[in-house]
Amino acid sequence: MAPPQGQMRPGRQLAVLGLIFTVLYLLVFFGADAKGSWTDRLQPKLGLDLVGGTRQTLEAVTMASGQAPSAEALERAREIIQARVDSRGVAEAEVVTDGNRNIVISVPGTNADLSGIGTPAELRFRKVLKSTDGGGPTSSPTPGASATPSASPSPGASASPSAGAPPSGSPSSAAATASPSSGGQGGGAPASPTPTPSASATPTPSTSGSPAPTPSASPVVDPANQTLEEQRAAVERKVGAEAWSAANGLQAPADFSTDAALAEKLKPFADLTPEEIAVLPPNIQYNVPTITCEKLDQRPPGSIKDEKQQAVACELGQVKHFLDVAKVLGTDVADADGVLDQSTSQWVVSLEFTGDGQKKWTALTREAYNNEGGACDQAALGNEGRCKVAVVLDNDVISAPEIQGVLTGNSQISGNFTAASANELASQLRYGALPLTFKPQEAQNITATLGTEHLRAGLLAAGIGMLLVVIYAFFYYRLLGSVIFLSLLLSGLLVFGALVVLGRQIGFTLTLAGIAGFIVSLGVAADSFVIYFERLKDEIREGRSPRSAVPRAWARARRTIISANAISIMAAVVLYLVSVGTVQGFAFALGLATILDLVVVFLFRHPIMTLFARTPAFLSPRVSGLGRAIQRDDEPQPGKPRVKEA
């Protein structure tokens, strides 16, 4: 006999549920991120309020005045930092302002990596005008000899199928792409480079007869209370007029190996702090050998943020670049994504420019490709004799590739990126640069003083709630109560496995708010039981046998159950989208538990009821819990014909 309409084969549905459990717990115990003992692999990721975490304070600083930043700028910075933290996963981090200068970041887990969260992420594209060795005066810089590592990131065109090939026609060829050079220092020079003029050709300053000053013991730059001109004047007084004049007179990096007297004059610059070096004119930063890449990399954040000024920055801590004004900015980037380049199997950051930004980028690459006006000197040219364009993020050159053609489409920043670093950089560029410069304070590990008690209380509340539902179910529905108990148990196991897997994959953390969401979901699950079982009683009261009433009750109750759960899911989605922090955790947990309850309803509750309907116990009012809804053959209901099972 064929099963009644609406009834599925219970064995198949239970098999699908078993497959889901098998896959889920294989991921729990043997997934890519499953580590440690069996007990460790069963540990979900707990939130800040349960297990403590890491807290870091970012202090807003300014380069020219001691005034506190505006409340609007501080709030905008907080929103960007919150977006950066959230992009790393559903970690329920807390990002709040503290006073009129500080932003406090708290994330779950001790020793959490918060590096890069407070970086300005100011992107600049600058043409490389000069390049030299940045290792210090003890090295012997030879232009065109020190190779830039071939793994240097590079912008690349994605608008042409032949991207990556050198241009084979006019400079306007769209098939060209920017790629890292493998030539000499600063990007490579032709076979017979023109040497950089020696420092010995520098005219002797008029103050050469004055004695060299003794550098002061403490820094003289006070960014909080001095303008840039005042800071620069203070540094000039510290190094002395003779050293300052000699440094200003340099037309190229000084060669101390051939001019010992010049080395003595410039000696005071070796005692400058990174803060003092940051206020020096770019020509002094570039031409004085004692101002090394090590010191330049230690300059305060925002030291070269002015896009209208030339700047000096280092690539890979080895090559010192003299950079032109920035002609393409981070604000010209419409979108950024970390993607895996299929042709090279390397992680890259794909950039999509705005309309005006694309025009600026095309103009810059044309200018660099043609070396217009001979602006780039011989040492700064690449293997093909073209200028380079440096991708400058804050104070660092993350890439300085030779431009091999005019780029008219989207581009890439490529290099030694991992998936995490590529996505982090893309996130920083996507959400924009911070409107303020921050000085990070030392990160601190914080403990959840009440975390253990909170967790115990939350689990106890969840257990009591489930126990009350089960007791009521057995009291009112008897045998059917076992269906409720098993359904809740399976739903709980699904939720727990999902918590573990999601914690590893997207960083979801369980907090007290999340536990509250799971407890509320118990009520949603109980409602679906009541709808189904009461519909079943109605079908039996209408004269149908229990076996035929089960599929008909399911067909009618199914729509109501789906509608009720869909409303809960939509409410959770809306709440998640419009809220932040722990409220998002509550919404996420409620939505997750409701979806998994639907899985249990369809793959367990209905098929198990179909199996129960075939047992003798199901026909007993005392055992089944259907009570007087079941009409025995020897107890016909007055005024209503008795319906026998076909």
Side-chain angles (χ1 to χ4, degrees):
M1 179 183 298
Q5 185 179 2
Q7 179 179 346
M8 299 178 62
R9 298 182 182 273
R12 293 181 180 180
Q13 294 168 290
L14 294 175
V16 172
L17 182 62
L19 179 62
I20 293 175
F21 267 96
T22 301
V23 173
L24 179 61
Y25 277 89
L26 281 176
L27 291 176
V28 169
F29 288 106
F30 305 104
D33 298 323
K35 300 177 182 178
S37 64
W38 297 109
T39 304
D40 294 336
R41 299 183 186 191
L42 285 172
Q43 292 293 330
K45 190 173 182 180
L46 300 180
L48 185 68
D49 54 352
L50 298 179
V51 295
T54 303
R55 175 175 294 166
Q56 186 173 50
T57 300
L58 302 177
E59 180 184 1
V61 297
T62 55
M63 298 299 295
S65 69
Q67 296 181 349
S70 65
E72 293 78 9
L74 194 64
E75 176 59 22
R76 174 59 180 159
R78 189 203 67 79
E79 292 174 354
I80 294 175
I81 292 174
Q82 178 78 62
R84 290 181 181 179
V85 174
D86 291 344
S87 68
R88 297 188 175 190
V90 189
E92 297 192 22
E94 296 178 358
V95 182
V96 297
T97 56
D98 182 19
N100 59 0
R101 282 185 180 272
N102 299 332
I103 292 180
V104 180
I105 307 169
S106 300
V107 297
T110 57
N111 299 318
D113 183 15
L114 295 176
S115 59
I117 290 295
T119 57
E122 291 173 321
L123 186 67
R124 305 283 188 267
F125 293 89
R126 298 175 179 265
K127 190 167 58 176
V128 179
L129 303 180
K130 307 175 188 177
S131 293
T132 189
D133 179 69
T138 56
S139 60
S140 300
T142 305
S146 176
T148 302
S150 61
S152 173
S154 62
S158 59
S160 168
S162 59
S168 56
S170 66
S172 61
S173 171
T177 179
S179 64
S181 63
S182 56
Q185 169 188 327
S192 302
T194 302
T196 303
S198 167
S200 59
T202 304
T204 305
S206 59
T207 56
S208 58
S210 60
T214 302
S216 60
S218 58
V220 297
V221 169
D222 184 6
N225 298 305
Q226 296 176 325
T227 65
L228 177 61
E229 291 74 15
E230 291 172 338
Q231 296 173 49
R232 190 170 290 176
V235 175
E236 181 179 355
R237 290 192 298 270
K238 179 176 179 177
V239 300
E242 181 181 28
W244 188 266
S245 180
N248 262 327
L250 293 174
Q251 302 300 314
D255 187 355
F256 289 170
S257 63
T258 60
D259 195 338
L262 182 61
E264 186 63 27
K265 291 178 183 178
L266 298 178
K267 186 176 180 180
F269 284 95
D271 298 320
L272 296 181
T273 65
E275 291 77 11
E276 293 164 345
I277 290 175
V279 303
L280 294 174
N283 63 305
I284 293 181
Q285 295 184 32
Y286 180 76
N287 291 326
V288 176
T290 52
I291 300 177
T292 62
C293 281
E294 181 181 2
K295 293 184 178 181
L296 290 171
D297 290 342
Q298 295 175 0
R299 289 174 295 182
S303 296
I304 57 174
K305 66 184 299 181
D306 190 351
E307 69 272 11
K308 298 180 180 179
Q309 298 293 328
Q310 294 179 329
V312 176
C314 290
E315 181 181 6
L316 302 176
Q318 300 173 357
V319 183
K320 189 192 296 187
H321 294 306
F322 190 90
L323 307 173
D324 196 8
V325 297
K327 297 183 179 179
V328 181
L329 310 179
T331 52
D332 295 318
V333 176
D335 195 12
D337 289 293
V339 297
L340 185 64
D341 191 334
Q342 300 299 326
S343 61
T344 61
S345 298
Q346 299 286 330
W347 279 94
V348 298
V349 178
S350 176
L351 301 179
E352 178 182 345
F353 293 98
T354 63
D356 290 339
Q358 185 63 64
K359 296 177 182 178
K360 295 178 183 178
W361 175 240
T362 300
L364 177 60
T365 57
R366 179 181 293 111
E367 181 182 325
Y369 179 78
N370 296 321
N371 192 12
E372 295 179 2
C376 305
D377 74 1
Q378 196 70 26
L381 299 178
N383 287 341
E384 303 294 330
R386 313 296 182 187
C387 291
K388 299 179 179 183
V389 172
V391 182
V392 185
L393 186 69
D394 298 332
N395 293 344
D396 302 319
V397 175
I398 62 174
S399 170
E402 179 182 8
I403 298 299
Q404 296 181 344
V406 180
L407 305 180
T408 58
N410 298 336
S411 298
Q412 295 176 342
I413 302 175
S414 60
N416 292 328
F417 286 115
T418 63
S421 60
N423 284 308
E424 180 177 354
L425 176 57
S427 171
Q428 292 175 341
L429 301 181
R430 186 164 54 249
Y431 295 115
L434 295 177
L436 301 171
T437 299
F438 289 93
K439 181 179 180 181
Q441 307 297 320
E442 183 178 359
Q444 298 178 336
N445 289 326
I446 57 177
T447 59
T449 54
L450 299 178
T452 303
E453 290 78 5
H454 287 168
L455 180 59
R456 184 181 297 112
L459 295 178
L460 180 61
I464 292 175
M466 181 175 288
L467 181 61
L468 290 176
V469 172
V470 170
I471 291 175
Y472 176 80
F474 276 109
F475 175 78
Y476 191 76
Y477 291 113
R478 301 181 187 177
L479 177 63
L480 298 182
S482 63
V483 178
I484 299 177
F485 173 74
L486 292 175
S487 297
L488 293 178
L489 179 62
L490 293 176
S491 181
L493 291 175
L494 278 178
V495 168
F496 181 80
L499 282 178
V500 176
V501 174
L502 292 177
R504 295 171 185 167
Q505 298 299 322
I506 66 172
F508 176 74
T509 55
L510 179 63
T511 63
L512 283 175
I515 293 176
F518 291 129
I519 294 175
V520 171
S521 70
L522 290 176
V524 178
D527 286 342
S528 64
F529 285 109
V530 173
I531 293 171
Y532 185 21
F533 292 160
E534 293 304 317
R535 183 69 250 182
L536 177 61
K537 288 184 177 182
D538 289 342
E539 292 293 332
I540 294 175
R541 290 191 185 101
E542 291 177 1
R544 294 182 178 87
S545 67
R547 182 174 298 183
S548 62
V550 167
R552 288 179 171 83
W554 165 249
R556 296 187 178 184
R558 179 175 53 198
R559 296 178 182 178
T560 307
I561 293 174
I562 293 176
S563 299
N565 282 271
I567 292 174
S568 296
I569 293 172
M570 287 190 292
V573 170
V574 172
L575 186 60
Y576 181 84
L577 293 177
V578 302
S579 61
V580 295
T582 56
V583 180
Q584 279 189 325
F586 171 84
F588 189 91
L590 177 60
L592 175 65
T594 305
I595 292 173
L596 295 180
D597 177 64
L598 276 176
V599 173
V600 173
V601 166
F602 278 85
L603 299 181
F604 177 77
R605 191 178 309 167
H606 175 46
I608 205 68
M609 283 295 296
T610 302
L611 294 177
F612 275 1
R614 300 174 183 176
T615 63
F618 193 75
L619 302 177
S620 171
R622 294 181 179 274
V623 177
S624 67
L626 296 176
R628 296 183 178 179
I630 298 180
Q631 300 297 321
R632 295 179 179 273
D633 289 344
D634 56 350
E635 298 177 1
Q637 184 175 358
K640 182 174 291 187
R642 186 171 47 201
V643 179
K644 297 183 179 179
E645 183 177 357

